[in-house]
Amino acid sequence: MVTIDNLSEENCINLPSSGTQWFLINHRDDGLDGQTGYFSIRILYQSGSTDRDYIRQGIHIQRNGNWYDEAGHQIKAGHERNPEQIKLSGEQFISLHDPRSGKEASNLAALVSNLGAWHMKPTLEEETSWTDRYLYGATLKAYASDKTGAISARLIRFTATSSSSSGEPVLFWIDPRGAESALILVDAPRHEYQGSRRVYQIKFGGKCS
């Protein structure tokens, strides 16, 4: 049995302390029907103490399929890497996305070396998601703390629809793996979009105040 809760009006959500939970983002918008954009999803897992052995560490990244590389080739397959495959720390990941660093070329080269070609174009005509790197730099830094043990960064391409149903639902998952809480940041940087500019606090096995 699958239970679906409407969280559109929520800011804090109580979830079980174990098991994978799936989130579905509404991408229905009559005014944007047929337009392609992407969601930037950032999940900051936090423990109740500063003991870093309590919670998984590092960076997890994911990008769904059908993005375009710089040469204009459509990349059908998704891209996913786990913390043990990425040598960057959370602090390094955030620092390399700082648009004020003055080291754009070398920072991007360092990311590609560690992550692979993760930042790409949602459409042929647009610039890559690297253009919106502040979402993974200054914005993440503002929400991270010494209790943030792991960061999961997602790029989810979508096409807005005016239909009440969709064959391409916009989904992402979270898994506490020992975390006490998490913050989920949702942005659609190319559109002023209904599901965008949201921050959710998640309590795993606890209660929202």
Side-chain angles (χ1 to χ4, degrees), residues 30-202:
D30 293 342
L32 296 173
D33 184 47
Q35 294 188 35
T36 298
Y38 78 91
F39 286 107
S40 165
I41 309 294
R42 291 88 73 212
I43 304 163
L44 293 86
Y45 292 95
Q46 301 162 330
S47 70
S49 72
T50 55
D51 181 1
R52 293 301 182 95
D53 292 332
Y54 176 73
I55 182 175
R56 60 176 176 172
Q57 300 180 44
I59 302 293
H60 172 267
I61 62 167
Q62 180 184 357
R63 186 191 65 241
N64 63 352
N66 296 317
W67 289 69
Y68 294 85
D69 65 17
E70 286 283 9
H73 300 125
Q74 189 175 33
I75 309 301
K76 292 285 188 180
H79 180 91
E80 187 165 353
R81 294 190 65 180
N82 295 316
E84 58 268 20
Q85 300 172 297
I86 298 170
K87 295 181 180 179
L88 291 176
S89 67
E91 291 82 0
Q92 290 170 323
F93 179 81
I94 290 171
S95 178
L96 289 174
H97 282 90
D98 184 356
R100 303 164 300 177
S101 69
K103 301 176 181 178
E104 179 174 330
S106 60
N107 283 358
L108 180 56
L111 278 171
V112 171
S113 175
N114 284 279
L115 309 182
W118 180 57
H119 286 290
M120 287 195 177
K121 303 177 180 183
T123 69
L124 271 175
E125 297 77 20
E126 294 188 79
E127 296 180 328
T128 73
S129 54
W130 173 247
T131 303
D132 306 308
R133 59 191 176 279
Y134 69 92
L135 293 170
Y136 300 94
T139 302
L140 265 189
K141 186 175 182 179
Y143 285 94
S145 72
D146 60 355
K147 295 182 180 180
T148 301
I151 296 173
S152 186
R154 320 288 178 87
L155 294 169
I156 305 178
R157 182 182 183 274
F158 72 94
T159 301
T161 180
S162 59
S163 174
S164 58
S165 62
S166 172
E168 297 181 339
V170 182
L171 299 167
F172 69 94
W173 56 267
I174 64 172
D175 186 344
R177 295 187 188 177
E180 182 180 81
S181 62
L183 290 175
I184 301 178
L185 284 65
V186 180
D187 283 272
R190 307 293 167 92
H191 296 304
E192 289 296 327
Y193 190 69
Q194 178 183 348
S196 184
R197 313 293 177 188
R198 292 296 302 270
V199 179
Y200 297 95
Q201 183 178 28
I202 309 297

Side-chain angles (χ1 to χ4, degrees), residues 4-15 23 184 186 194-203 208-209:
I4 301 177
D5 295 319
N6 182 1
L7 304 176
S8 60
E9 302 300 323
E10 301 294 330
N11 292 313
C12 185
I13 304 163
N14 298 315
L15 290 177
F23 286 74
I184 301 178
V186 180
Q194 178 183 348
S196 184
R197 313 293 177 188
R198 292 296 302 270
V199 179
Y200 297 95
Q201 183 178 28
I202 309 297
K203 295 287 189 178
C208 293
S209 59

Side-chain angles (χ1 to χ4, degrees), residues 9-30:
E9 302 300 323
E10 301 294 330
N11 292 313
C12 185
I13 304 163
N14 298 315
L15 290 177
S17 58
S18 63
T20 301
Q21 302 287 330
W22 288 89
F23 286 74
L24 173 67
I25 304 178
N26 178 24
H27 62 298
R28 183 176 186 270
D29 191 306
D30 293 342

